[in-house]
Amino acid sequence: MARIASGDPLPATVEAAKTADAGDCFIGEASTVCCLPGLVNVGVQKAGTGELQTWLGVHPAVKVHGGEVHFFDDQERTPSCNAQWRGHLRLRYARFLWKRQRLREADVRGRLLFEKTPAYFDRAQPRQVACAIPAARVLIMLREPAARAHSAYDMCQREQEGRWCKAPFAQVVERVLVGGGGNSSDAAPLHTSRRQMQRSPHLRRLFLMGHYSTFMRRWLDVFVWPHVGVLWLEQFKADPFACMHAVERFAGLAHHPYRTVATRNEAGLYVVGRSKSDYERKRAPSPWAAGDTRAVVSATAALEAAMVRVRAYYAPSQRRLAQLLQKTNTSLLPELPSPVTGLL
Ligand SMILES: Nc1ncnc2c1ncn2[C@@H]1O[C@H](COP(=O)(O)OS(=O)(=O)O)[C@@H](OP(=O)(O)O)[C@H]1O
């Protein structure tokens, strides 16, 4: 059972923070409260972490942060996790987490505190997170890695318009993934072009993040395995109710009747209130918008071929992940989704 913020808050001092853990709260000046989360969703980007936060936000026994925290992103390596350091780290983290919200005891008493930062999966040092909140439940949401990479690239094109994502995804794949013959059945393994990866840290992250087993091992090295739970966006798409039930069991929460509050949106997905899935797919890429049929057909074919290539690139790594999930028993649902099992 994850720690629920039900006890009396500790004084907001380093001394008190030395003995705190996930789910504990600190009371500071003017009775303001800040807490350490009991449940942290550490990733991955584009695997439905925003949606999960929305669903947990309507659970009466959960207090969600509401945004993304990024406290542990790219922090410097710390020499050791001694008591003094732990005390400081916990206080800084709890204060940072709630700096934009004036929490009162009544907001948190008896509730599970939740934060999500998908960037933690590959950008945080799990050892540091474990130093701050060793008893926390760590939720890892994954998504078939080729679809994840495409979705992340698409988001960059739509929202960030960065230089690194100007070219169509299919062109980038052609440039970055080398070896093989473009066919998943080719014997030669695909790997990333060192030169292309050195040129763009964004592309490097886009492709490397999908080697889930590499990053997962780092989390499993420092958190006890029953405290780490894995869920797939594909599972959430297929049955969000089973997923929410599994998350509740994982976090020690009472069952909430999500079926009574969820509706289906235009995309046919279950949502509670506003969802990214309501509007993300409505924005069309340029050839579609221009209505140029030939361009659409050729862009679709190029994208499909690129996706085959990306899936082939990730196949060995997906096999390693399957073994890791089996060994550690960290899947929250017993059945792996078909786009994932297809690769294993
Ligand atoms: N209710 C529901 N059911 C199934 N799938 C859903 C739902 N809500 C959001 N989504 C899809 O989740 C994808 C976004 O994931 P994230 O919220 O983790 O994105 S982000 O990293 O925070 O930007 C994004 O996927 P893509 O549209 O394929 O990019 C969303 O469409």
Side-chain angles (χ1 to χ4, degrees):
M1 159 114 176
R3 290 266 280 262
I4 303 273
S6 52
D8 290 328
L10 301 161
T13 62
V14 172
E15 211 43 43
K18 284 181 187 171
T19 59
D21 205 329
D24 285 338
C25 295
F26 304 101
I27 189 151
E29 284 165 21
S31 305
T32 52
V33 169
C34 59
C35 306
L36 295 165
L39 177 62
V40 184
N41 189 176
V42 300
V44 294
Q45 188 198 41
K46 305 315 289 177
T49 57
E51 191 66 6
L52 188 92
Q53 171 152 261
T54 305
W55 285 58
L56 281 173
V58 301
H59 194 296
V62 180
K63 171 76 188 156
V64 298
H65 171 271
E68 289 188 8
V69 180
H70 295 280
F71 177 78
F72 290 105
D73 291 6
D74 309 322
Q75 288 212 0
E76 276 178 24
R77 226 172 232 286
T78 43
S80 74
C81 176
N82 62 35
Q84 187 71 8
W85 171 256
R86 265 199 306 268
H88 276 291
L89 182 67
R90 285 176 182 150
L91 265 189
R92 275 199 297 124
Y93 178 33
R95 284 181 174 140
F96 188 88
L97 192 49
W98 304 103
K99 66 181 176 191
R100 293 210 175 83
Q101 299 181 43
R102 214 179 145 76
L103 286 185
R104 297 277 163 186
E105 254 193 273
D107 300 324
V108 296
R109 192 165 277 277
R111 295 169 97 185
L112 177 75
L113 284 305
F114 172 83
E115 86 118 310
K116 76 116 182 171
T117 304
Y120 287 165
F121 185 68
D122 60 317
R123 286 175 61 180
Q125 291 174 43
R127 200 167 289 283
Q128 216 159 52
V129 182
C131 179
I133 44 172
R137 296 298 183 274
V138 175
L139 178 62
I140 303 179
M141 290 188 79
L142 299 177
R143 176 177 187 176
E144 189 278 301
R148 193 220 72 79
H150 179 237
S151 168
Y153 193 83
D154 202 40
M155 177 175 71
C156 171
Q157 291 198 316
R158 272 194 331 259
E159 293 173 14
Q160 297 155 8
E161 292 164 6
R163 274 168 58 89
W164 71 277
C165 60
K166 278 218 159 27
F169 186 66
Q171 267 179 36
V172 170
V173 168
E174 194 53 42
R175 252 192 0 243
V176 171
L177 298 187
V178 293
N183 186 323
S184 59
S185 60
D186 286 342
L190 280 168
H191 52 90
T192 46
S193 148
R194 191 186 286 251
R195 183 136 55 94
Q196 292 294 334
M197 298 288 262
Q198 274 167 352
R199 263 194 207 161
S200 168
H202 297 288
L203 280 183
R204 192 180 144 78
R205 181 163 183 243
L206 183 87
F207 285 104
L208 293 191
M209 192 195 302
H211 295 285
Y212 300 142
S213 59
T214 307
F215 295 99
M216 254 196 81
R217 279 203 177 89
R218 296 182 193 165
W219 291 94
L220 292 164
D221 276 351
V222 290
F223 281 94
V224 293
W225 297 349
H227 287 194
V228 179
V230 176
L231 199 64
W232 295 79
L233 178 65
E234 289 81 0
Q235 292 172 323
F236 194 89
K237 273 192 178 146
D239 190 347
F241 307 108
C243 290
M244 292 314 293
H245 208 158
V247 171
E248 287 168 341
R249 277 196 305 272
F250 175 61
L253 287 165
H255 178 54
H256 183 65
Y258 280 104
R259 279 185 193 278
T260 62
V261 287
T263 52
R264 265 188 203 259
N265 70 5
E266 272 180 37
L269 299 168
Y270 280 106
V271 294
V272 291
R274 247 176 90 76
S275 161
K276 263 187 204 166
S277 61
D278 295 337
Y279 56 91
E280 285 205 341
R281 58 184 63 224
K282 284 186 189 148
R283 295 182 212 161
S286 49
W288 275 255
D292 177 344
T293 318
R294 269 214 314 235
V296 171
V297 170
S298 125
T300 308
L303 180 60
E304 273 168 15
M307 291 303 276
V308 168
R309 209 166 160 75
V310 185
R311 281 195 287 270
Y313 162 67
Y314 283 123
S317 155
Q318 285 289 90
R319 277 192 286 276
R320 286 194 293 277
L321 177 68
Q323 285 162 2
L324 189 64
L325 291 176
Q326 207 163 35
K327 179 174 147 200
T328 55
N329 201 18
T330 41
S331 291
L332 289 190
L333 289 178
E335 297 276 308
L336 284 182
S338 55
V340 179
T341 45
L343 288 167
L344 304 179

